[in-house]
Amino acid sequence: MKKLMVLIVSLAAVASLTACGSSHCKECDKEVYKDGYCEYHYAINVAQDVVGDAADDLLNSLMGG
Ligand SMILES: [Zn+2]
């Protein structure tokens, strides 16, 4: 019986997280602009997709890696 309770609580938690994610940005509390992100984080997301490996290289060099 306990396993069932855990399952139900887990599902409820996931459901509430999903509901929450649709109302505000995944990265902050701002209103969603697109794809679950606010305008700012969506732009960052798109930029990362576009720049890709170059951004990783830049980050690595900034981190001293
Ligand atoms: Zn955001």
Side-chain angles (χ1 to χ4, degrees):
M1 286 302 274
K2 272 193 174 178
K3 274 187 180 176
L4 187 64
M5 275 302 293
V6 170
L7 183 67
I8 291 171
V9 170
S10 302
L11 284 175
V14 169
S16 66
L17 277 177
T18 309
C20 219
S22 65
S23 60
H24 67 81
C25 173
K26 291 175 186 174
E27 304 284 338
C28 69
D29 289 334
K30 284 186 184 173
E31 198 177 326
V32 167
Y33 169 68
K34 216 170 181 180
D35 289 346
Y37 293 100
C38 68
E39 203 165 354
Y40 174 72
H41 282 115
Y42 179 73
I44 288 179
N45 218 36
V46 169
Q48 279 178 344
D49 279 353
V50 171
V51 179
D53 289 343
D56 283 343
D57 289 346
L58 180 66
L59 271 177
N60 283 337
S61 65
L62 285 175
M63 298 293 187

Short mmCIF file of all heavy atoms in Angstrom, two decimals:
data_model
loop_
_atom_site.label_atom_id
_atom_site.label_comp_id
_atom_site.label_asym_id
_atom_site.label_seq_id
_atom_site.Cartn_x
_atom_site.Cartn_y
_atom_site.Cartn_z
N MET A 1 0.83 -1.21 0.00
CA MET A 1 0.00 0.00 0.00
C MET A 1 0.86 1.26 0.00
O MET A 1 0.53 2.25 -0.62
CB MET A 1 -0.91 0.01 1.24
CG MET A 1 -2.06 -1.00 1.12
SD MET A 1 -3.12 -0.73 -0.31
CE MET A 1 -4.28 0.48 0.36
N LYS A 2 1.99 1.18 0.73
CA LYS A 2 2.87 2.36 0.80
C LYS A 2 3.44 2.72 -0.58
O LYS A 2 3.57 3.89 -0.92
CB LYS A 2 4.01 2.09 1.78
CG LYS A 2 3.64 2.46 3.21
CD LYS A 2 4.88 2.49 4.09
CE LYS A 2 4.52 3.00 5.49
NZ LYS A 2 5.69 3.01 6.39
N LYS A 3 3.77 1.68 -1.36
CA LYS A 3 4.31 1.93 -2.69
C LYS A 3 3.31 2.70 -3.54
O LYS A 3 3.66 3.59 -4.30
CB LYS A 3 4.65 0.59 -3.37
CG LYS A 3 6.02 0.08 -3.04
CD LYS A 3 6.36 -1.14 -3.88
CE LYS A 3 7.75 -1.64 -3.53
NZ LYS A 3 8.09 -2.88 -4.24
N LEU A 4 2.03 2.34 -3.39
CA LEU A 4 0.97 3.01 -4.16
C LEU A 4 0.90 4.48 -3.77
O LEU A 4 0.80 5.36 -4.63
CB LEU A 4 -0.37 2.32 -3.89
CG LEU A 4 -1.54 2.83 -4.75
CD1 LEU A 4 -1.27 2.53 -6.22
CD2 LEU A 4 -2.83 2.16 -4.32
N MET A 5 1.00 4.75 -2.46
CA MET A 5 0.96 6.14 -1.98
C MET A 5 2.13 6.94 -2.57
O MET A 5 1.97 8.06 -3.03
CB MET A 5 1.04 6.18 -0.46
CG MET A 5 -0.32 6.01 0.23
SD MET A 5 -1.52 7.26 -0.27
CE MET A 5 -0.75 8.71 0.45
N VAL A 6 3.32 6.32 -2.55
CA VAL A 6 4.51 6.98 -3.09
C VAL A 6 4.31 7.30 -4.57
O VAL A 6 4.63 8.39 -5.04
CB VAL A 6 5.76 6.08 -2.91
CG1 VAL A 6 6.94 6.65 -3.69
CG2 VAL A 6 6.10 5.95 -1.43
N LEU A 7 3.72 6.33 -5.29
CA LEU A 7 3.47 6.52 -6.71
C LEU A 7 2.51 7.69 -6.94
O LEU A 7 2.76 8.56 -7.77
CB LEU A 7 2.87 5.23 -7.28
CG LEU A 7 2.62 5.24 -8.80
CD1 LEU A 7 3.94 5.30 -9.55
CD2 LEU A 7 1.85 4.01 -9.22
N ILE A 8 1.43 7.71 -6.14
CA ILE A 8 0.44 8.78 -6.29
C ILE A 8 1.04 10.14 -5.98
O ILE A 8 0.86 11.11 -6.70
CB ILE A 8 -0.78 8.50 -5.37
CG1 ILE A 8 -1.55 7.28 -5.90
CG2 ILE A 8 -1.69 9.72 -5.29
CD1 ILE A 8 -2.62 6.79 -4.94
N VAL A 9 1.83 10.20 -4.88
CA VAL A 9 2.46 11.46 -4.49
C VAL A 9 3.44 11.91 -5.58
O VAL A 9 3.51 13.09 -5.93
CB VAL A 9 3.19 11.29 -3.13
CG1 VAL A 9 4.06 12.51 -2.85
CG2 VAL A 9 2.17 11.10 -2.02
N SER A 10 4.19 10.96 -6.14
CA SER A 10 5.14 11.28 -7.19
C SER A 10 4.43 11.85 -8.41
O SER A 10 4.85 12.85 -8.99
CB SER A 10 5.92 10.02 -7.61
OG SER A 10 6.58 9.49 -6.51
N LEU A 11 3.34 11.19 -8.80
CA LEU A 11 2.57 11.65 -9.95
C LEU A 11 2.02 13.05 -9.71
O LEU A 11 2.06 13.91 -10.59
CB LEU A 11 1.42 10.67 -10.24
CG LEU A 11 1.84 9.36 -10.91
CD1 LEU A 11 0.64 8.42 -11.03
CD2 LEU A 11 2.42 9.63 -12.29
N ALA A 12 1.54 13.29 -8.49
CA ALA A 12 0.99 14.60 -8.15
C ALA A 12 2.08 15.66 -8.23
O ALA A 12 1.87 16.76 -8.73
CB ALA A 12 0.39 14.55 -6.75
N ALA A 13 3.29 15.30 -7.75
CA ALA A 13 4.41 16.23 -7.77
C ALA A 13 4.78 16.57 -9.21
O ALA A 13 4.99 17.73 -9.56
CB ALA A 13 5.60 15.63 -7.04
N VAL A 14 4.86 15.55 -10.06
CA VAL A 14 5.20 15.75 -11.46
C VAL A 14 4.14 16.60 -12.14
O VAL A 14 4.45 17.51 -12.90
CB VAL A 14 5.34 14.38 -12.18
CG1 VAL A 14 5.42 14.58 -13.70
CG2 VAL A 14 6.57 13.65 -11.68
N ALA A 15 2.87 16.32 -11.83
CA ALA A 15 1.76 17.05 -12.43
C ALA A 15 1.83 18.53 -12.05
O ALA A 15 1.64 19.41 -12.89
CB ALA A 15 0.44 16.45 -11.99
N SER A 16 2.13 18.80 -10.77
CA SER A 16 2.19 20.19 -10.31
C SER A 16 3.39 20.89 -10.93
O SER A 16 3.34 22.06 -11.27
CB SER A 16 2.24 20.26 -8.79
OG SER A 16 3.44 19.71 -8.31
N LEU A 17 4.50 20.16 -11.09
CA LEU A 17 5.69 20.74 -11.71
C LEU A 17 5.39 21.11 -13.16
O LEU A 17 5.76 22.17 -13.63
CB LEU A 17 6.86 19.74 -11.68
CG LEU A 17 7.66 19.69 -10.38
CD1 LEU A 17 8.73 18.61 -10.47
CD2 LEU A 17 8.32 21.04 -10.12
N THR A 18 4.69 20.20 -13.85
CA THR A 18 4.35 20.44 -15.25
C THR A 18 3.44 21.66 -15.36
O THR A 18 3.63 22.51 -16.22
CB THR A 18 3.65 19.21 -15.84
OG1 THR A 18 4.43 18.07 -15.56
CG2 THR A 18 3.47 19.35 -17.34
N ALA A 19 2.45 21.74 -14.45
CA ALA A 19 1.53 22.87 -14.47
C ALA A 19 2.28 24.16 -14.20
O ALA A 19 2.03 25.17 -14.83
CB ALA A 19 0.44 22.66 -13.41
N CYS A 20 3.24 24.09 -13.28
CA CYS A 20 4.03 25.25 -12.92
C CYS A 20 4.87 25.69 -14.14
O CYS A 20 4.95 26.85 -14.46
CB CYS A 20 4.97 24.90 -11.76
SG CYS A 20 5.14 26.22 -10.57
N GLY A 21 5.48 24.70 -14.81
CA GLY A 21 6.36 25.00 -15.93
C GLY A 21 5.64 25.67 -17.08
O GLY A 21 6.27 26.36 -17.87
N SER A 22 4.34 25.50 -17.16
CA SER A 22 3.61 26.09 -18.28
C SER A 22 3.24 27.54 -18.00
O SER A 22 2.87 28.27 -18.90
CB SER A 22 2.36 25.28 -18.57
OG SER A 22 1.47 25.37 -17.48
N SER A 23 3.35 27.96 -16.72
CA SER A 23 2.91 29.31 -16.38
C SER A 23 4.08 30.29 -16.31
O SER A 23 3.91 31.47 -16.48
CB SER A 23 2.17 29.30 -15.05
OG SER A 23 3.00 28.82 -14.02
N HIS A 24 5.29 29.75 -16.05
CA HIS A 24 6.45 30.64 -16.02
C HIS A 24 7.67 29.95 -16.60
O HIS A 24 7.69 28.74 -16.79
CB HIS A 24 6.72 31.16 -14.60
CG HIS A 24 7.16 30.09 -13.64
ND1 HIS A 24 8.45 29.64 -13.58
CD2 HIS A 24 6.47 29.40 -12.72
CE1 HIS A 24 8.52 28.72 -12.64
NE2 HIS A 24 7.34 28.55 -12.11
N CYS A 25 8.68 30.75 -16.89
CA CYS A 25 9.91 30.29 -17.51
C CYS A 25 10.55 29.15 -16.73
O CYS A 25 10.47 29.11 -15.51
CB CYS A 25 10.86 31.49 -17.59
SG CYS A 25 12.51 31.07 -18.14
N LYS A 26 11.21 28.21 -17.45
CA LYS A 26 11.89 27.09 -16.81
C LYS A 26 13.07 27.56 -15.98
O LYS A 26 13.51 26.89 -15.06
CB LYS A 26 12.41 26.11 -17.88
CG LYS A 26 11.31 25.37 -18.61
CD LYS A 26 11.93 24.53 -19.73
CE LYS A 26 10.86 23.89 -20.60
NZ LYS A 26 11.45 23.19 -21.76
N GLU A 27 13.64 28.72 -16.34
CA GLU A 27 14.86 29.20 -15.70
C GLU A 27 14.59 30.28 -14.65
O GLU A 27 15.44 30.55 -13.81
CB GLU A 27 15.81 29.76 -16.76
CG GLU A 27 16.15 28.78 -17.86
CD GLU A 27 17.14 27.73 -17.40
OE1 GLU A 27 17.87 27.97 -16.43
OE2 GLU A 27 17.19 26.65 -18.01
N CYS A 28 13.45 30.95 -14.74
CA CYS A 28 13.14 32.02 -13.79
C CYS A 28 11.62 32.12 -13.62
O CYS A 28 10.89 31.29 -14.12
CB CYS A 28 13.74 33.34 -14.27
SG CYS A 28 12.94 33.99 -15.74
N ASP A 29 11.15 33.14 -12.95
CA ASP A 29 9.73 33.27 -12.64
C ASP A 29 8.99 34.16 -13.62
O ASP A 29 7.83 34.50 -13.41
CB ASP A 29 9.56 33.82 -11.23
CG ASP A 29 9.95 32.78 -10.19
OD1 ASP A 29 9.87 31.58 -10.52
OD2 ASP A 29 10.34 33.16 -9.09
N LYS A 30 9.66 34.55 -14.70
CA LYS A 30 9.01 35.41 -15.67
C LYS A 30 7.96 34.66 -16.49
O LYS A 30 7.96 33.44 -16.55
CB LYS A 30 10.05 36.01 -16.62
CG LYS A 30 10.86 37.12 -15.99
CD LYS A 30 11.77 37.74 -17.05
CE LYS A 30 12.67 38.80 -16.42
NZ LYS A 30 13.66 39.29 -17.39
N GLU A 31 7.09 35.41 -17.13
CA GLU A 31 6.05 34.84 -17.96
C GLU A 31 6.67 34.11 -19.15
O GLU A 31 7.67 34.56 -19.71
CB GLU A 31 5.15 35.98 -18.46
CG GLU A 31 3.80 35.51 -18.97
CD GLU A 31 2.92 36.69 -19.38
OE1 GLU A 31 3.03 37.76 -18.72
OE2 GLU A 31 2.18 36.58 -20.36
N VAL A 32 6.04 32.98 -19.54
CA VAL A 32 6.56 32.21 -20.66
C VAL A 32 6.38 32.96 -21.97
O VAL A 32 5.32 33.53 -22.24
CB VAL A 32 5.84 30.85 -20.76
CG1 VAL A 32 6.14 30.17 -22.09
CG2 VAL A 32 6.29 29.94 -19.62
N TYR A 33 7.46 32.98 -22.77
CA TYR A 33 7.42 33.62 -24.08
C TYR A 33 7.27 32.55 -25.15
O TYR A 33 6.39 32.62 -26.01
CB TYR A 33 8.70 34.42 -24.29
CG TYR A 33 8.91 34.90 -25.71
CD1 TYR A 33 8.07 35.88 -26.26
CD2 TYR A 33 9.95 34.40 -26.49
CE1 TYR A 33 8.26 36.32 -27.55
CE2 TYR A 33 10.15 34.85 -27.78
CZ TYR A 33 9.31 35.80 -28.32
OH TYR A 33 9.50 36.24 -29.60
N LYS A 34 8.13 31.52 -25.10
CA LYS A 34 8.09 30.45 -26.09
C LYS A 34 8.81 29.21 -25.54
O LYS A 34 9.81 29.35 -24.84
CB LYS A 34 8.77 30.91 -27.38
CG LYS A 34 8.12 30.38 -28.65
CD LYS A 34 8.70 31.09 -29.85
CE LYS A 34 8.06 30.62 -31.13
NZ LYS A 34 8.60 31.30 -32.30
N ASP A 35 8.31 28.02 -25.89
CA ASP A 35 8.95 26.76 -25.52
C ASP A 35 9.24 26.65 -24.02
O ASP A 35 10.23 26.03 -23.64
CB ASP A 35 10.25 26.57 -26.32
CG ASP A 35 9.97 26.27 -27.79
OD1 ASP A 35 8.81 25.95 -28.11
OD2 ASP A 35 10.89 26.37 -28.59
N GLY A 36 8.43 27.28 -23.19
CA GLY A 36 8.61 27.16 -21.75
C GLY A 36 9.63 28.13 -21.18
O GLY A 36 9.98 28.05 -20.00
N TYR A 37 10.13 29.03 -22.01
CA TYR A 37 11.11 30.02 -21.56
C TYR A 37 10.55 31.44 -21.69
O TYR A 37 9.72 31.69 -22.56
CB TYR A 37 12.40 29.93 -22.38
CG TYR A 37 13.18 28.66 -22.16
CD1 TYR A 37 13.10 27.62 -23.07
CD2 TYR A 37 14.01 28.52 -21.05
CE1 TYR A 37 13.82 26.45 -22.88
CE2 TYR A 37 14.73 27.35 -20.85
CZ TYR A 37 14.63 26.32 -21.77
OH TYR A 37 15.34 25.17 -21.58
N CYS A 38 11.04 32.35 -20.87
CA CYS A 38 10.70 33.75 -21.03
C CYS A 38 11.48 34.28 -22.24
O CYS A 38 12.32 33.58 -22.80
CB CYS A 38 11.07 34.53 -19.76
SG CYS A 38 12.84 34.68 -19.46
N GLU A 39 11.19 35.52 -22.63
CA GLU A 39 11.82 36.08 -23.82
C GLU A 39 13.35 36.04 -23.71
O GLU A 39 14.07 35.72 -24.64
CB GLU A 39 11.33 37.51 -24.02
CG GLU A 39 11.46 37.97 -25.45
CD GLU A 39 10.64 39.23 -25.71
OE1 GLU A 39 9.90 39.66 -24.81
OE2 GLU A 39 10.76 39.78 -26.80
N TYR A 40 13.85 36.40 -22.51
CA TYR A 40 15.29 36.45 -22.26
C TYR A 40 15.94 35.08 -22.36
O TYR A 40 16.90 34.89 -23.11
CB TYR A 40 15.51 37.04 -20.86
CG TYR A 40 16.94 37.03 -20.38
CD1 TYR A 40 17.88 37.89 -20.94
CD2 TYR A 40 17.33 36.17 -19.36
CE1 TYR A 40 19.19 37.88 -20.50
CE2 TYR A 40 18.64 36.16 -18.91
CZ TYR A 40 19.57 37.01 -19.48
OH TYR A 40 20.85 37.00 -19.03
N HIS A 41 15.38 34.10 -21.63
CA HIS A 41 15.98 32.76 -21.63
C HIS A 41 15.75 32.04 -22.95
O HIS A 41 16.54 31.19 -23.34
CB HIS A 41 15.44 31.95 -20.44
CG HIS A 41 16.09 32.32 -19.14
ND1 HIS A 41 15.41 32.90 -18.10
CD2 HIS A 41 17.38 32.23 -18.74
CE1 HIS A 41 16.26 33.13 -17.11
NE2 HIS A 41 17.45 32.74 -17.47
N TYR A 42 14.65 32.36 -23.64
CA TYR A 42 14.41 31.76 -24.94
C TYR A 42 15.50 32.23 -25.92
O TYR A 42 16.05 31.45 -26.69
CB TYR A 42 13.03 32.14 -25.47
CG TYR A 42 12.75 31.57 -26.84
CD1 TYR A 42 12.50 30.20 -27.00
CD2 TYR A 42 12.75 32.38 -27.97
CE1 TYR A 42 12.25 29.67 -28.25
CE2 TYR A 42 12.50 31.86 -29.22
CZ TYR A 42 12.26 30.51 -29.36
OH TYR A 42 12.02 29.99 -30.60
N ALA A 43 15.81 33.53 -25.85
CA ALA A 43 16.86 34.10 -26.70
C ALA A 43 18.19 33.42 -26.42
O ALA A 43 18.94 33.07 -27.33
CB ALA A 43 16.96 35.60 -26.47
N ILE A 44 18.50 33.22 -25.12
CA ILE A 44 19.75 32.56 -24.75
C ILE A 44 19.76 31.14 -25.29
O ILE A 44 20.76 30.66 -25.84
CB ILE A 44 19.89 32.53 -23.21
CG1 ILE A 44 20.20 33.93 -22.70
CG2 ILE A 44 20.99 31.55 -22.78
CD1 ILE A 44 20.34 34.00 -21.19
N ASN A 45 18.61 30.46 -25.17
CA ASN A 45 18.49 29.09 -25.64
C ASN A 45 18.74 29.01 -27.14
O ASN A 45 19.49 28.15 -27.62
CB ASN A 45 17.09 28.57 -25.30
CG ASN A 45 17.10 27.12 -24.88
OD1 ASN A 45 18.04 26.67 -24.23
ND2 ASN A 45 16.08 26.39 -25.26
N VAL A 46 18.10 29.90 -27.89
CA VAL A 46 18.26 29.93 -29.34
C VAL A 46 19.71 30.24 -29.69
O VAL A 46 20.31 29.61 -30.57
CB VAL A 46 17.31 30.96 -29.97
CG1 VAL A 46 17.66 31.19 -31.43
CG2 VAL A 46 15.86 30.50 -29.83
N ALA A 47 20.29 31.21 -28.98
CA ALA A 47 21.67 31.61 -29.24
C ALA A 47 22.60 30.43 -29.03
O ALA A 47 23.52 30.20 -29.81
CB ALA A 47 22.04 32.76 -28.33
N GLN A 48 22.35 29.66 -27.97
CA GLN A 48 23.19 28.49 -27.69
C GLN A 48 23.06 27.46 -28.78
O GLN A 48 24.04 26.82 -29.17
CB GLN A 48 22.81 27.88 -26.34
CG GLN A 48 23.43 28.64 -25.17
CD GLN A 48 23.02 28.07 -23.83
OE1 GLN A 48 22.07 27.30 -23.74
NE2 GLN A 48 23.72 28.45 -22.80
N ASP A 49 21.83 27.29 -29.30
CA ASP A 49 21.62 26.34 -30.39
C ASP A 49 22.39 26.79 -31.63
O ASP A 49 23.01 25.99 -32.32
CB ASP A 49 20.13 26.25 -30.72
CG ASP A 49 19.40 25.32 -29.76
OD1 ASP A 49 20.10 24.68 -28.95
OD2 ASP A 49 18.18 25.23 -29.84
N VAL A 50 22.34 28.09 -31.90
CA VAL A 50 22.97 28.62 -33.11
C VAL A 50 24.49 28.58 -32.99
O VAL A 50 25.19 28.14 -33.88
CB VAL A 50 22.49 30.07 -33.35
CG1 VAL A 50 23.30 30.72 -34.46
CG2 VAL A 50 21.01 30.08 -33.71
N VAL A 51 24.98 29.06 -31.85
CA VAL A 51 26.43 29.16 -31.66
C VAL A 51 27.04 27.80 -31.37
O VAL A 51 28.12 27.48 -31.85
CB VAL A 51 26.75 30.16 -30.53
CG1 VAL A 51 28.25 30.25 -30.32
CG2 VAL A 51 26.16 31.53 -30.84
N GLY A 52 26.31 26.99 -30.58
CA GLY A 52 26.72 25.61 -30.35
C GLY A 52 28.11 25.44 -29.79
O GLY A 52 28.41 25.92 -28.70
N ASP A 53 28.97 24.72 -30.52
CA ASP A 53 30.30 24.37 -30.04
C ASP A 53 31.14 25.60 -29.75
O ASP A 53 31.96 25.60 -28.84
CB ASP A 53 31.02 23.50 -31.08
CG ASP A 53 30.40 22.11 -31.16
OD1 ASP A 53 29.67 21.75 -30.21
OD2 ASP A 53 30.65 21.41 -32.15
N ALA A 54 30.97 26.66 -30.53
CA ALA A 54 31.74 27.88 -30.33
C ALA A 54 31.50 28.42 -28.92
O ALA A 54 32.43 28.86 -28.25
CB ALA A 54 31.36 28.93 -31.37
N ALA A 55 30.23 28.37 -28.46
CA ALA A 55 29.89 28.85 -27.12
C ALA A 55 30.55 27.97 -26.07
O ALA A 55 31.04 28.47 -25.06
CB ALA A 55 28.39 28.87 -26.94
N ASP A 56 30.56 26.66 -26.32
CA ASP A 56 31.18 25.75 -25.38
C ASP A 56 32.67 26.04 -25.26
O ASP A 56 33.24 26.07 -24.16
CB ASP A 56 31.00 24.29 -25.84
CG ASP A 56 29.59 23.80 -25.57
OD1 ASP A 56 28.90 24.44 -24.75
OD2 ASP A 56 29.20 22.80 -26.16
N ASP A 57 33.34 26.27 -26.41
CA ASP A 57 34.75 26.58 -26.40
C ASP A 57 35.01 27.86 -25.63
O ASP A 57 35.95 27.95 -24.84
CB ASP A 57 35.27 26.73 -27.84
CG ASP A 57 35.32 25.39 -28.55
OD1 ASP A 57 35.21 24.36 -27.85
OD2 ASP A 57 35.47 25.37 -29.78
N LEU A 58 34.14 28.88 -25.86
CA LEU A 58 34.29 30.16 -25.19
C LEU A 58 34.13 29.98 -23.69
O LEU A 58 34.95 30.49 -22.91
CB LEU A 58 33.25 31.14 -25.72
CG LEU A 58 33.30 32.55 -25.11
CD1 LEU A 58 34.59 33.25 -25.49
CD2 LEU A 58 32.11 33.38 -25.58
N LEU A 59 33.11 29.23 -23.29
CA LEU A 59 32.86 28.99 -21.86
C LEU A 59 34.05 28.26 -21.24
O LEU A 59 34.52 28.61 -20.16
CB LEU A 59 31.59 28.17 -21.68
CG LEU A 59 30.28 28.95 -21.56
CD1 LEU A 59 29.11 27.99 -21.46
CD2 LEU A 59 30.31 29.86 -20.34
N ASN A 60 34.56 27.26 -21.95
CA ASN A 60 35.69 26.48 -21.44
C ASN A 60 36.91 27.37 -21.24
O ASN A 60 37.63 27.25 -20.25
CB ASN A 60 36.02 25.34 -22.41
CG ASN A 60 35.03 24.20 -22.28
OD1 ASN A 60 34.38 24.05 -21.24
ND2 ASN A 60 34.89 23.41 -23.33
N SER A 61 37.14 28.26 -22.20
CA SER A 61 38.30 29.15 -22.09
C SER A 61 38.11 30.14 -20.95
O SER A 61 39.05 30.49 -20.25
CB SER A 61 38.54 29.87 -23.41
OG SER A 61 37.47 30.74 -23.70
N LEU A 62 36.85 30.60 -20.74
CA LEU A 62 36.55 31.52 -19.65
C LEU A 62 36.72 30.84 -18.31
O LEU A 62 37.19 31.45 -17.34
CB LEU A 62 35.13 32.05 -19.79
CG LEU A 62 34.90 33.11 -20.87
CD1 LEU A 62 33.42 33.44 -20.96
CD2 LEU A 62 35.69 34.37 -20.57
N MET A 63 36.37 29.55 -18.25
CA MET A 63 36.46 28.79 -17.01
C MET A 63 37.89 28.32 -16.75
O MET A 63 38.20 27.73 -15.74
CB MET A 63 35.55 27.54 -17.06
CG MET A 63 34.09 27.86 -17.22
SD MET A 63 33.37 28.69 -15.79
CE MET A 63 31.65 28.71 -16.25
N GLY A 64 38.77 28.58 -17.72
CA GLY A 64 40.15 28.18 -17.57
C GLY A 64 40.36 26.72 -17.92
O GLY A 64 41.40 26.14 -17.63
N GLY A 65 39.36 26.14 -18.59
CA GLY A 65 39.47 24.72 -18.94
C GLY A 65 40.11 24.61 -20.30
O GLY A 65 40.51 23.59 -20.78
ZN ZN B 1 13.52 33.11 -17.85
#
